Amino acid sequence: MRTVAVRRRGFAFLALVTCAGAGLLAALLLVASPSAIAQTVTGTTTGTTTSPPPTTTGTTTTGGTTTGTTPGTTTATTTTVTTTTSTTTATTTVKRPPKPRPAPRPRRPTTISAGVTIGGDIFVGGLSPAQAARILRSQFARPLTIRVAKRTLLATPRQLGAVAHGAEAIRRARHTRPGRNVPLRVTIKAVPLDRYLNRLAQRFDRPTVDSRLLLRNGKPFVTKHQLGRALDRGPLERALRRSLKTHDRNPLSATLRSIEPGVSRSSFAAIIVIRRGANRLSLFDGMKLRRTFGIATGQAQYPTPLGNFHIVVKWSNPWWYPPESDWAKDAKPIPPGPGNPLGTRWMGISSPAVGIHGTPDAASIGYSASHGCIRMLIPEVEWLFEQVDIGTPVFIVP
């Protein structure tokens, strides 16, 4: 009996070891499975041992139910394992890649590169923008030198309407390679420049002065003429604009053009002076006496007029027409010829019905015998006729 009991106890122990191995195997399978994350494992083990009588009962369920009963004094009920497998569906959302960030802008240098110039001769290399702006304003504001008629004048760019775009040039200079030149743009306003040139012209322009014919001590006197002058504005304006745009401050020379007067001493050639009281006619070439003639002048009741006149008409072999006067109211016109009272030449002056003419009455020369005209011998009046022109001055003095 004792041997039978020992055998039963061995079988019970073997059953327990078998159940434990099955549980361990199931656990290993669950851990190694790909869907182990989504699985739920539930295990229940109930064990009851009653001694004596030595009866052994073992029940094992794996994925089902197995019941085994062994007569004896020990009873064991073991292991119920339930395995539930669930399926998990995963949804994947594809995200757009983030936009690339723009590259950071390079920082502006705090100073201008070495050797950089503005406007050709304004050095700003190694300076800050504020320092460069001060130097640029100072250099551009330098006055221009203008020489006019042996005088030296100074004109600032502001007076001439020039504006330099310095901020624009400095911005470009900050990004310019060392040793480069940055042009300086200059704007010139027309109104201030024109105003300055007008003031300059008013100061230096001079009007012409014509010569005048006077009578001094019974002789003609011609005053001296004076040349005029005018500022030659075109070349000066172009030179000013060029100097302002190129920042050149070399002296500029303004030209004054000479203007000839309309009447000068050379404008006067033949001049006739008649001295009524002496019955003499003198011909001058300007202020130089050429020749003197004896004449007849008007009677006391028909005096030759005094004053300044000029020749208005010249006739050869003229007709004589009776003037509107009492002494000629019954007279008739006389054609040219030996009996014509005007002789062969007539030079009418700007006094009505008065002129210089020849006469067939040579005995009247040297006396006041005419009706107001100036009589001359026929050969002499013909010579004088060729020496004078319309417009020749005629002075008749007492």
Side-chain angles (χ1 to χ4, degrees), residues 4 25 28 43 48-49 64-65 87-88 92 94 110 113 119 135 147 198 238 251 277 291 296 320-321 328 341 344 370:
V4 172
L25 180 60
L28 291 174
T48 303
T49 305
T65 301
T87 303
T88 302
T92 304
V94 180
T110 57
S113 300
I135 290 180
R147 293 173 180 168
N198 285 339
R238 289 190 292 271
R291 190 171 176 181
W320 178 83
Y321 294 95
T344 58
S370 73

Side-chain angles (χ1 to χ4, degrees), residues 29-257:
L29 291 174
L30 289 174
V31 171
S33 174
S35 59
I37 297 176
Q39 293 177 352
T40 302
V41 177
T42 304
T44 304
T45 305
T46 302
T48 303
T49 305
T50 303
S51 175
T55 302
T56 300
T57 302
T59 305
T60 301
T61 305
T62 301
T65 301
T66 304
T67 301
T69 301
T70 303
T73 60
T74 301
T75 303
T77 305
T78 307
T79 311
T80 300
V81 178
T82 304
T83 302
T84 303
T85 302
S86 61
T87 303
T88 302
T89 302
T91 303
T92 304
T93 303
V94 180
K95 296 183 179 180
R96 295 181 180 178
K99 294 182 179 180
R101 294 183 179 181
R105 294 182 180 179
R107 293 184 178 181
R108 290 184 177 182
T110 57
T111 60
I112 299 173
S113 300
V116 173
T117 58
I118 294 179
D121 59 352
I122 303 175
F123 291 91
V124 295
L127 303 178
S128 67
Q131 293 171 331
R134 287 194 296 270
I135 290 180
L136 189 61
R137 285 193 297 268
S138 174
Q139 291 293 314
F140 184 75
R142 291 177 299 159
L144 281 75
T145 303
I146 306 172
R147 293 173 180 168
V148 188
K150 298 182 180 180
R151 295 188 180 183
T152 301
L153 307 176
L154 297 178
T156 64
R158 184 176 181 180
Q159 287 177 299
L160 301 174
V163 178
H165 298 268
E168 173 187 303
I170 292 174
R171 281 196 301 270
R172 296 181 60 185
R174 294 180 68 180
H175 299 284
T176 298
R177 295 179 181 178
R180 296 293 182 88
N181 176 64
V182 175
L184 177 60
R185 187 166 62 91
V186 177
T187 302
I188 302 175
K189 300 177 181 178
V191 174
L193 179 58
D194 190 61
R195 187 186 302 121
Y196 179 82
L197 292 174
N198 285 339
R199 290 199 302 267
L200 209 62
Q202 290 174 1
R203 180 175 177 180
F204 291 99
D205 285 1
R206 295 289 183 271
T208 60
V209 177
D210 291 340
S211 295
R212 294 185 301 146
L213 177 60
L214 307 175
L215 200 64
R216 292 181 179 179
N217 300 322
K219 296 180 180 180
F221 178 80
V222 181
T223 62
K224 189 176 181 179
H225 66 271
Q226 293 183 10
L227 296 175
R229 68 184 186 189
L231 179 68
D232 202 352
R233 293 183 49 155
L236 178 59
E237 181 177 355
R238 289 190 292 271
L240 289 172
R241 287 182 178 273
R242 183 172 55 254
S243 295
L244 290 169
K245 287 183 176 292
T246 60
H247 324 296
D248 183 11
R249 293 300 184 266
N250 290 324
L252 302 176
S253 296
T255 304
L256 296 175
R257 292 182 292 104

